[in-house]
Amino acid sequence: MSVKKILIVGGRGLVGSSLIREFSRSSSYEIFHPSSDELDLREQKKVSDYIADIAPDLIINAAAKVGGIVANNLYRGDFILDNLLIQNNLFKSAFDNEVENFLFLGSSCIYPKNCPQPIKEEYLLTDVLEETNEPYAIAKIAGLKVAENLNRQYGVNYFSLMPTNLYGENDNFHPENSHVIPGLIQRMQKCIESKDNTFPIWGTGKPRREFLYVDDLARACRFVIENDKKIPYWMNVGTGEDISILDLAKIISEQMGFNGEFDFDTSKPDGTPRKLLDVSKIFELGWRPEVNLRDGIKKSVEFFRNSNEIRQV
């Protein structure tokens, strides 16, 4: 499809900032990325007026209230309400203003807790969700289904990508609200600075996770937007490979120069035992990730250590 004007919402976050970098590489795109101060996505009239004013050819929704296991479990009401408000306002405003193309970004947490592995798109809604992030997952499932059914009823080009666990430049390194990799990096740096030879790992360290460097997701978004082939209503995006939390911590310790021991805090929840996406659909279209896990972690550690602002979080 031919796209010129792109509205990227959530541009200050991990995914949104990567999307801006990726699409800025080409002069073919005019990019709009209002901050939350400029445009409160929870207010429908403001969203609709903004979209009517710029008339984008494509909207990419990278805006969401996000967090790790602790944040998902603590702020359950906020996670479902804010995310539903944001995405519904965007969908309705896009549709009302005749925006033909919409890319909704979800999450692999939409799939049941005990899915067969690797997780195919067809496994959606076949069993119960992981309890700790159920509110966030339900909001993302709703967004995926809004996109799918507007597409089916009205023929608009609204579709979704469901990425695996993301990490990379501009990540959230908050000690409580971060995801796995930035959380481990931030806490390991504290161990190094305090000369503590014991590093706590939440849970047993046995759960297996798949990780995708955020710039690879941005490249996947551009790939499907510029691909002339028929795109499914939604597709998984990942590497097709997973790793245990313990082995992940070992790679991070190597990159950061931590030589101590690991201590498992089994009072913290493990979450889903394993979560590996089946990425055969997007692979068959011709996309592949470019950044391997070790190189991606090295980039993330460098970003963290070079940012004084993040170190103060």
Side-chain angles (χ1 to χ4, degrees):
M1 74 187 160
S2 177
V3 176
K4 292 184 179 179
K5 289 185 179 180
I6 301 179
L7 170 60
I8 298 173
V9 292
R12 289 188 175 180
L14 170 67
V15 176
S17 59
S18 180
L19 287 166
I20 292 169
R21 291 194 301 271
E22 177 63 28
F23 283 97
S24 295
R25 300 177 194 278
S26 172
S27 59
S28 300
Y29 301 105
E30 182 180 4
I31 304 169
F32 299 84
H33 50 94
S35 68
S36 57
D37 292 334
E38 296 171 301
L39 180 62
D40 187 340
L41 297 172
R42 295 168 298 181
E43 297 188 24
Q44 186 176 340
K45 187 177 187 307
K46 290 183 178 179
V47 174
S48 185
D49 289 347
Y50 185 90
I51 291 174
D53 183 51
I54 67 170
D57 298 289
L58 167 72
I59 295 174
I60 304 179
N61 181 18
K65 186 176 184 66
V66 297
I69 274 182
V70 175
N72 274 302
N73 209 23
L74 281 176
Y75 312 119
R76 301 175 69 88
D78 293 341
F79 269 74
I80 191 167
L81 183 59
D82 282 0
N83 283 304
L84 285 172
L85 278 172
I86 289 168
Q87 62 203 39
N88 284 346
N89 285 344
L90 285 166
F91 278 125
K92 178 167 176 53
S93 298
F95 184 75
D96 287 349
N97 287 286
E98 299 182 343
V99 178
E100 287 293 323
N101 306 293
F102 195 117
L103 173 53
F104 177 73
L105 295 174
S107 166
S108 58
C109 73
I110 65 169
Y111 295 111
K113 177 178 180 178
N114 296 311
C115 257
Q117 303 290 317
I119 303 171
K120 299 179 182 293
E121 288 88 347
E122 292 78 11
Y123 296 160
L124 183 67
L125 299 176
T126 58
D127 207 339
V128 297
L129 299 165
E130 161 61 40
E131 168 65 18
T132 56
N133 62 14
E134 182 188 73
Y136 179 77
I138 287 175
K140 288 300 182 181
I141 292 170
L144 178 157
K145 287 298 181 181
V146 169
E148 175 191 346
N149 287 290
L150 286 175
N151 194 329
R152 293 174 66 175
Q153 182 174 353
Y154 295 105
V156 290
N157 192 28
Y158 291 9
F159 55 97
S160 307
L161 293 180
M162 298 294 123
T164 189
N165 298 288
L166 300 168
Y167 70 103
E169 182 177 338
N170 206 30
D171 214 333
N172 171 20
F173 292 87
H174 189 280
E176 294 180 357
N177 297 337
S178 58
H179 287 108
V180 179
I181 288 179
L184 289 172
I185 290 173
Q186 185 272 150
R187 289 188 286 116
M188 196 167 289
Q189 183 66 32
K190 284 189 174 181
C191 277
I192 293 171
E193 291 175 351
S194 63
K195 302 186 186 305
D196 191 338
N197 290 323
T198 302
F199 179 74
I201 293 180
W202 293 356
T204 65
K206 295 179 181 179
R208 300 186 66 84
R209 293 291 182 271
E210 176 185 17
F211 297 95
L212 181 70
Y213 194 71
V214 69
D215 288 355
D216 277 330
L217 173 62
R219 283 187 281 268
C221 291
R222 185 170 173 184
F223 173 84
V224 298
I225 287 165
E226 296 177 348
N227 199 305
D228 291 331
K229 299 176 183 177
K230 173 65 176 176
I231 302 297
Y233 293 128
W234 80 91
M235 286 189 297
N236 295 332
V237 184
T239 64
E241 300 176 356
D242 61 2
I243 186 173
S244 72
I245 299 302
L246 174 57
D247 288 340
L248 174 68
K250 289 178 179 178
I251 293 177
I252 293 174
S253 67
E254 292 169 5
Q255 296 291 338
M256 299 189 72
F258 175 76
N259 299 312
E261 298 180 349
F262 298 116
D263 179 45
F264 300 98
D265 183 357
T266 55
S267 68
K268 297 288 194 302
D270 270 341
T272 305
R274 190 184 189 200
K275 193 165 64 174
L276 175 66
L277 294 181
D278 183 318
V279 290
S280 58
K281 288 186 178 179
I282 194 166
F283 276 21
E284 287 169 2
L285 290 173
W287 175 85
R288 291 289 190 284
E290 298 178 12
V291 181
N292 66 46
L293 184 60
R294 191 173 296 274
D295 289 344
I297 288 174
K298 181 179 180 181
K299 291 174 182 283
S300 292
V301 171
E302 290 173 350
F303 174 78
F304 174 74
R305 286 180 164 171
N306 290 334
S307 175
N308 292 327
E309 181 178 354
I310 287 178
R311 293 284 295 282
Q312 295 169 2
V313 171

